[in-house]
Amino acid sequence: LHIAILASILSLIIYWLIRDRYRVRNLHGKHVFITGCDAGLGNSLAKWLDKNGFCVIAACATEKGSQELQSCSSLSLKTVNLNLADSNSIARAVVFVTEQTAGKGLFGLVSNAEGTAPVGPTDWLRIEDFHSVLDVSLLGLIEITLKLLPLLKKAEGRVINLINAKGLMAFVGGGYSLSKWGMEAFSDTLRIEMQHFGVKVSIIEHGFFKAEEVNSDIIEKYLFKLWNRLTPEIRDSYGEKYIVE
């Protein structure tokens, strides 16, 4: 028994030593592109990487988000406007990243942005309600990943997709959970394909963050908006008490 315990401890020490050898060194000059940096997790990550010496390129959906992030970061942090539902906006961001990396390639791509999704019973929704989230949280992230793969391959970088674990629980209708499951499948496939090129692909399934707490007022507003546009037939099938309770 004692020998087994000692062997386990020795194995753990060896594992730590090997693991530490693979820590990233010489952080300065390594470019990391992050989407969804106006607030929340993307914003916090951009600030943390900036303080630790990375060359951060932060994509923000609003000019206000860009200005606030720049005001509390170093001069090496750059921001770019990005609308993931717009292919032209994605193309402009890719050009900006290419210029900033100046032939070095891209060390990291962190995909974090989320689309706003109406939540409610599936037969309350229209196809545009699905597009409002899938065009950003799934198709937009896939498109920008595809366009940045040449830079990632050049630097033998890594793709990190941040996925809120609550989206993997399909308890509500709409595109939110679809986008999360879709990103899981896309990431798993890409990981296998990019291994040959030395590009790592990771998924981080995170939980709730205080900065990203769900606003119940917004959800309620969406529900009433959906309810008010329903046909009388669908409303009658649920009954007035459904929306009240």
Side-chain angles (χ1 to χ4, degrees), residues 18-44:
I18 294 174
R19 183 195 62 180
D20 289 347
R21 288 177 57 195
Y22 289 96
R23 287 187 177 181
V24 177
R25 310 292 180 184
N26 302 319
L27 306 182
H28 294 275
K30 287 181 166 59
H31 289 82
V32 178
F33 179 57
I34 311 170
T35 66
C37 293
D38 293 82
L41 186 55
N43 183 277
S44 299

Side-chain angles (χ1 to χ4, degrees), residues 47 105 119 143 148:
K47 293 174 182 175
V119 294
E143 182 175 357
L148 289 173

Side-chain angles (χ1 to χ4, degrees), residues 52-119:
N52 282 273
F54 285 95
C55 296
V56 177
I57 306 171
C60 296
T62 64
E63 187 61 32
K64 179 182 177 182
S66 294
Q67 292 176 352
E68 290 180 349
L69 182 56
Q70 287 177 321
S71 67
C72 56
S73 305
S74 75
L75 294 176
S76 67
L77 183 143
K78 307 297 181 183
T79 61
V80 60
N81 182 267
L82 177 62
N83 176 5
L84 284 169
D86 182 358
S87 291
N88 291 326
S89 178
I90 290 174
R92 288 192 294 269
V94 170
V95 170
F96 183 80
V97 173
T98 303
E99 292 172 347
Q100 291 297 314
T101 54
K104 297 178 182 179
L106 187 62
F107 179 77
L109 166 62
V110 182
S111 293
N112 170 62
E114 294 188 343
T116 56
V119 294

